[in-house]
């Protein structure tokens, strides 16, 4: 133990007990001792003198040495911390020595004895601190792509959480719209039911009143005939002379001048009229309140500052960004929206009401276009689109763009797609005058494409509206 005592240990040792000071006190001679040591020494000597210099002390209870006490407490605390660290530090399992070196060839930590062994004689060795610093730097570099990946996963998780909230909002809003649409249909059916029941009740009342009048008329004739029969029968019961005296009048009464009752036709309820193909007749009438548009806008593709009507037939640029998930299908910069249904064959057509909107794009786009970032519109890029700019400049998005001259400003644009023949044609719906036709070869699904754009002055543009088509019923 004495060999391990440091220089500071010697300064903090009581000269009586040769241990670290405990409750140190100081005598007038400036020597310090443990309180218990000096008391015990004085008891043995029967006099109060310093154990070192033998100077007598008049104080029975020497004052504590607070400075020395604080130094001892700090020293003991630090010493215990150092010992704790030394106990936790790993040691060589073979030699019990501290591990001070790192073998770069075998990636092993070595002690002083291990580093001189034959196994590591010609290996590259370096101090543990230096090797650890180098390896930590390498690991920090290796962690960068993992941190980047973690960042991507956190962003993806956030997107999923936002998407989940949006899905819930979409479901609630869609449920509300479905209920409102069905309520309209329910109300129509309730009104139609009431109208048909009213017609039935009216017919019932009319025919019942007719029967009532007929019955009343017949009752009068029955009363008259009954009276005549009774009177004639009374005459028949008279004695012969009286009977013969009234014979003439009796014969007149016995003559029936009343016509036989008529059997009425159409007296019954016309059940066939009320029930015949009832559901079909109601459905046929329902066509007047329902609309059909060949294209329904897909809100999941619309850039966040486009506002779609509840029935998904009208789009307007509000220039106010909505909080929407950045899903793969959605445009994030260009002011675009797609139709909900794509086409891979056949002929299709739809009309778009552009009105007086000063800037717009209308056409078709192939499905595989990347919808993020800026987009170039041309057939080579997968777009077949005509556009209006500055209120009077029409063009087709070719490479380079083709300026178009129109005799009349169209209020509606008709788009006709013939997928199999590779044609996309545009017409002025008012007079069906031809605007432009793209001819190409289509190899993937095409979607209707729309953009209300942004006015050159930065103000909100007008709305684009899908036009409904006339619906008819044909019975074969």
């Amino acid at each position: 133990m004495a060999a391990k005592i440091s220089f500071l240990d010697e300064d903090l040792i009581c000269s009586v007990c040769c241990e670290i000071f405990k409750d140190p006190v100081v005598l007038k001679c400036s020597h310090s001792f443990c309180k218990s040591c000096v008391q015990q020494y004085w008891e043995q000597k029967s006099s109060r003198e310093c154990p070192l210099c033998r100077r007598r002390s008049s104080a029975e209870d020497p004052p504590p040495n607070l400075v020395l006490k604080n130094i001892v407490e700090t020293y003991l605390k630090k010493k215990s911390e150092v010992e704790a660290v030394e106990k936790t530090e790993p040691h060589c399992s073979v030699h019990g020595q501290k591990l001070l070196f790192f073998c770069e060839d075998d990636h092993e930590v070595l002690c002083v004895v291990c580093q001189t062994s034959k196994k590591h004689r010609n290996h590259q060795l370096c101090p543990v601190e230096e090797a650890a610093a180098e390896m930590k730097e390498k690991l920090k570099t290796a962690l960068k792509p993992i941190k980047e990946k973690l960042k991507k996963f956190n962003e993806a998780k956030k997107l999923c959480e936002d998407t989940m909230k949006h899905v819930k909002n979409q479901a609630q809003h869609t449920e509300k719209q479905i209920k409102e649409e069905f309520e309209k249909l329910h109300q129509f059916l309730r009104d139609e039911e009431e109208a048909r029941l009213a017609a039935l009740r009216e017919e019932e009342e009319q025919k019942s009143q007719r029967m009532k009048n007929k019955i009343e008329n017949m009752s009068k004739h029955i009363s008259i005939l009954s009276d005549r029969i009774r009177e004639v029968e009374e005459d028949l019961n008279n004695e012969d002379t009286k009977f013969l005296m009234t014979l003439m009048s009796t014969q007149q009464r016995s003559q029936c001048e009343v016509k036989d009752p008529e059997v009425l036709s159409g007296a019954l309820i016309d059940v066939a009229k009320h029930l015949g193909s009832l559901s079909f007749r109601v459905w046929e009438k329902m066509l007047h309140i329902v609309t059909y548009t060949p294209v329904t806008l897909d809100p999941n593709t619309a850039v966040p500052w486009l506002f779609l009507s509840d029935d998904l037939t009208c789009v307007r640029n509000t220039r106010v960004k909505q909080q929407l998930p950045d899903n793969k299908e959605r445009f994030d910069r260009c002011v675009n929206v797609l139709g909900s249904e794509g086409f891979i064959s056949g002929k299709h057509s739809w009309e778009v009401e552009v009105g007086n909107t000063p800037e717009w794009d209308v056409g078709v786009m192939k499905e595989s276009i990347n919808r993020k970032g800026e987009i170039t519109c041309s057939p080579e890029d997968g777009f077949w689109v005509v556009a209006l700019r500055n209120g009077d400049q029409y063009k087709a998005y070719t490479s380079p763009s083709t300026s178009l001259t129109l005799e009349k400003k169209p209020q509606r644009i008709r788009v006709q797609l013939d997928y199999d023949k590779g044609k996309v044609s545009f017409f002025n719906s008012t007079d069906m005058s031809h605007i432009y036709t793209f001819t190409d070869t289509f190899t993937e699904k095409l979607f209707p494409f729309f953009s209300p754009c942004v006015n050159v002055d930065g103000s909100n543009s007008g709305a684009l509206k899908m036009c409904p088509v006339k619906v008819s019923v044909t019975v074969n």
Side-chain angles (χ1 to χ4, degrees):
M1 289 293 294
K4 294 184 179 181
I5 296 176
S6 67
F7 177 75
L8 182 59
D9 286 339
E10 293 178 355
D11 290 339
L12 300 180
I13 288 178
C14 174
S15 59
V16 176
C17 64
C18 297
E19 297 289 345
I20 299 293
F21 283 111
K22 295 180 182 178
D23 296 329
V25 294
V26 61
L27 303 182
K28 285 186 176 182
C29 61
S30 300
H31 291 134
S32 295
F33 306 93
C34 297
K35 182 178 181 179
S36 59
C37 291
V38 73
Q39 293 289 353
Q40 186 177 4
Y41 180 81
W42 284 352
E43 289 177 1
Q44 291 176 353
K45 293 292 184 181
S46 299
S47 63
R48 291 190 292 275
E49 61 181 27
C50 175
L52 290 179
C53 65
R54 300 295 189 266
R55 182 178 176 178
R56 293 183 64 82
S57 174
S58 60
E60 295 182 5
D61 191 8
N65 191 338
L66 297 179
V67 175
L68 181 59
K69 180 180 179 182
N70 291 335
I71 293 174
V72 169
E73 289 178 351
T74 302
Y75 169 76
L76 291 176
K77 182 179 180 182
K78 294 292 183 182
K79 186 177 181 180
S80 64
E81 290 176 354
V82 171
E83 290 175 350
V85 171
E86 288 180 350
K87 288 181 180 179
T88 57
E89 284 183 351
H91 290 72
C92 178
S93 59
V94 178
H95 307 103
Q97 300 291 321
K98 291 183 67 175
L99 300 171
L100 302 176
F101 301 97
F102 179 72
C103 176
E104 295 182 354
D105 296 274
D106 296 332
H107 283 79
E108 292 181 9
V109 184
L110 311 176
C111 69
V112 176
V113 180
C114 291
Q115 61 110 5
T116 61
S117 65
K118 291 182 179 181
K119 180 180 178 182
H120 303 285
R121 183 173 298 170
N122 297 319
H123 288 182
Q124 186 69 34
L125 305 179
C126 66
V128 166
E129 294 80 3
E130 182 180 332
E134 181 181 354
M135 292 302 174
K136 285 179 181 179
E137 287 299 320
K138 289 183 179 180
L139 282 176
K140 286 179 182 179
T141 303
L143 274 178
K144 288 182 179 179
I146 300 178
K147 289 181 177 179
E148 287 295 325
K149 185 160 290 188
L150 175 62
K151 181 181 177 182
K152 291 180 179 179
F153 270 94
N154 285 329
E155 290 173 350
K157 180 184 176 183
K158 179 66 166 54
L159 176 61
C160 289
E161 292 172 346
D162 293 342
T163 301
M164 184 171 67
K165 292 179 182 178
H166 187 65
V167 165
K168 186 175 182 179
N169 292 335
Q170 277 187 314
Q172 292 174 345
H173 180 72
T174 304
E175 179 182 351
K176 179 175 177 289
Q177 294 300 118
I178 290 174
K179 288 182 177 180
E180 288 179 357
E181 288 298 315
F182 270 95
E183 178 55 30
K184 293 177 183 177
L185 298 177
H186 293 159
Q187 188 59 48
F188 169 83
L189 291 175
R190 286 193 291 267
D191 294 342
E192 187 64 20
E193 177 187 13
E194 184 57 36
R196 291 182 177 273
L197 290 176
L200 174 61
R201 287 192 290 267
E202 183 180 0
E203 183 180 357
E204 177 192 13
E205 184 177 352
Q206 290 177 351
K207 294 190 172 180
S208 295
Q209 185 62 41
R210 186 180 177 189
M211 287 297 101
K212 182 179 179 181
N213 294 338
K214 190 71 175 177
I215 291 171
E216 289 178 353
N217 187 43
M218 288 185 177
S219 296
K220 291 179 181 179
H221 285 85
I222 290 173
S223 178
I224 293 172
L225 293 175
S226 298
D227 290 343
R228 288 191 178 189
I229 292 171
R230 180 178 50 77
E231 291 174 354
V232 171
E233 287 179 345
E234 287 178 355
D235 289 343
L236 289 174
N237 291 328
N238 290 334
E239 50 90 17
D240 294 343
T241 302
K242 190 175 182 180
F243 167 74
L244 292 174
M245 290 175 64
T246 60
L247 179 60
M248 293 296 293
S249 60
T250 301
Q251 287 178 338
Q252 289 178 355
R253 288 195 295 270
S254 65
Q255 294 177 0
C256 183
E257 300 173 354
V258 179
K259 295 181 179 180
D260 291 339
E262 296 180 0
V263 178
L264 298 178
S265 62
L268 301 180
I269 296 293
D270 191 353
V271 177
K273 180 184 72 174
H274 295 287
L275 296 181
S277 300
L278 177 59
S279 57
F280 174 79
R281 298 302 177 191
V282 173
W283 175 63
E284 186 179 35
K285 192 173 181 180
M286 191 180 291
L287 292 178
H288 299 293
I289 68 165
V290 299
T291 58
Y292 171 75
T293 53
V295 172
T296 300
L297 301 176
D298 185 356
N300 296 333
T301 65
V303 73
W305 47 87
L306 285 183
F307 177 79
L308 275 59
S309 60
D310 288 337
D311 61 359
L312 305 180
T313 62
C314 185
V315 57
R316 183 185 300 275
N317 181 11
T318 63
R319 295 185 61 79
V320 177
K321 188 173 182 180
Q322 304 172 75
Q323 294 299 318
L324 300 174
D326 187 22
N327 50 299
K328 183 179 179 181
E329 301 83 0
R330 190 181 306 282
F331 293 95
D332 65 347
R333 287 194 186 179
C334 295
V335 190
N336 303 332
V337 64
L338 300 181
S340 61
E341 182 182 1
F343 310 110
I344 57 173
S345 64
K347 296 180 179 180
H348 309 273
S349 64
W350 56 92
E351 290 187 5
V352 186
E353 184 176 329
V354 296
N356 294 318
T357 303
E359 298 201 356
W360 48 258
D361 296 345
V362 173
V364 297
M365 183 195 90
K366 67 180 183 181
E367 182 178 26
S368 62
I369 295 295
N370 180 14
R371 302 170 192 181
K372 308 302 180 183
E374 297 296 335
I375 296 174
T376 304
C377 290
S378 70
E380 291 78 8
D381 300 310
F383 291 85
W384 296 267
V385 173
V386 296
L388 170 65
R389 290 293 181 270
N390 301 325
D392 57 0
Q393 299 174 11
Y394 296 92
K395 63 180 178 179
Y397 279 132
T398 54
S399 294
S401 61
T402 301
S403 297
L404 304 175
T405 302
L406 278 62
E407 294 182 0
K408 296 180 181 179
K409 183 176 182 178
Q411 296 294 302
R412 290 186 177 186
I413 301 294
R414 182 178 180 86
V415 184
Q416 290 187 176
L417 168 65
D418 190 332
Y419 190 98
D420 302 323
K421 291 186 178 180
K423 290 185 177 182
V424 183
S425 300
F426 300 84
F427 301 88
N428 183 340
S429 297
T430 303
D431 55 9
M432 287 306 292
S433 56
H434 181 252
I435 297 176
Y436 192 82
T437 295
F438 291 93
T439 302
D440 212 326
T441 301
F442 304 136
T443 58
E444 61 178 272
K445 185 178 289 187
L446 301 181
F447 283 87
F449 173 88
F450 311 92
S451 175
C453 301
V454 180
N455 294 343
V456 291
D457 60 359
S459 61
N460 293 347
S461 182
L464 301 182
K465 182 174 178 59
M466 308 304 107
C467 299
V469 298
K470 185 178 181 181
V471 181
S472 62
V473 177
T474 302
V475 180
N476 296 326

